[in-house]
Each structure stands twice: as structure tokens, then as C-alpha cells.
Amino acid sequence: MQHGAQKKRPGEDMPALWIIGTGGHARVLLDLARDCGHPVQGFIDPAPNGASARASASEPVAPFGTDLAVLDGLGALRELHAPKVVIAIGGNALRRETTAEATALGAKAVT
């Protein structure tokens, strides 16, 4: 370390993530991201009109007992200015479609 340089904390230079999805996969990715030191901004519900796990479950507005934001619809990605995202959708075809739509809206998928 250079003289006078501050030591970085774990996750300090990791991108803040948005998790696309609000179901069980989102819960797992939230835990994984946090365990790896990634800050998580919140969730994006890709199907806010009733087709999502959040809409059919008795989850609070912010899922899993967190105080994280939940944005409705992938259109919210336009306002986030190229956010880093992880896709938390279990079905292969739907995950592929969601990834394509999210990247078309400017999101950067993190793997």
C-alpha cells in the first residue's frame, strides 16, 4: 500500500446492484450479493401487474424484510442510467427475454 493511501473496505469498489425479480431467486441473490460484499440498491419487479411472486405473496412492499426500494416494471431502468443488474428469474426462457429487454434499456448484466 502506498504511503498515505487508505485501505479499501470489502466491497468498496464493487458496483451497486439492482436485482430484477422479487421471488425466491431474488432472495438467494440478495444474500449472495451481500455475502460477496456487493451493495444492493433494491429490486425491480419485472411484472408489477400481478404476475410476480411479490404480487401473489404476502411480502411487504420491500421484500424479505429489507428496507430496499422496489421499482415497478423494467421501464424503471431508463431512469437509473445504466445500472448494474442481476436477473433473479428461474425460468430460462423468461430470464433470457428479461435479460434482453433489460440490456436494451441500458442495464449492464453482472454475472
Side-chain angles (χ1 to χ4, degrees):
M1 185 181 317
Q2 295 178 0
H3 179 67
Q6 292 184 1
K7 185 176 179 179
K8 291 186 178 183
R9 295 185 308 250
E12 186 174 357
D13 51 354
M14 291 187 170
L17 301 175
W18 284 89
I19 298 173
I20 296 179
T22 57
H25 281 79
R27 179 186 303 255
V28 171
L29 288 177
L30 172 63
D31 290 342
L32 181 61
R34 286 179 167 173
D35 287 349
C36 291
H38 280 279
V40 176
Q41 292 292 111
F43 301 89
I44 298 172
D45 186 344
N49 295 325
S52 71
R54 180 171 62 102
S56 62
S58 59
E59 295 284 357
V61 172
F64 321 123
T66 71
D67 59 353
L68 297 173
V70 179
L71 305 180
D72 285 335
L74 293 177
L77 292 167
R78 286 186 198 99
E79 298 172 22
L80 297 176
H81 308 292
K84 306 290 190 237
V85 300
V86 291
I87 312 296
I89 297 174
N92 291 335
L94 184 55
R95 185 174 55 248
R96 204 171 17 258
E97 290 172 19
T98 302
T99 301
E101 186 176 348
T103 55
L105 290 168
K108 307 292 183 206
V110 175
T111 59

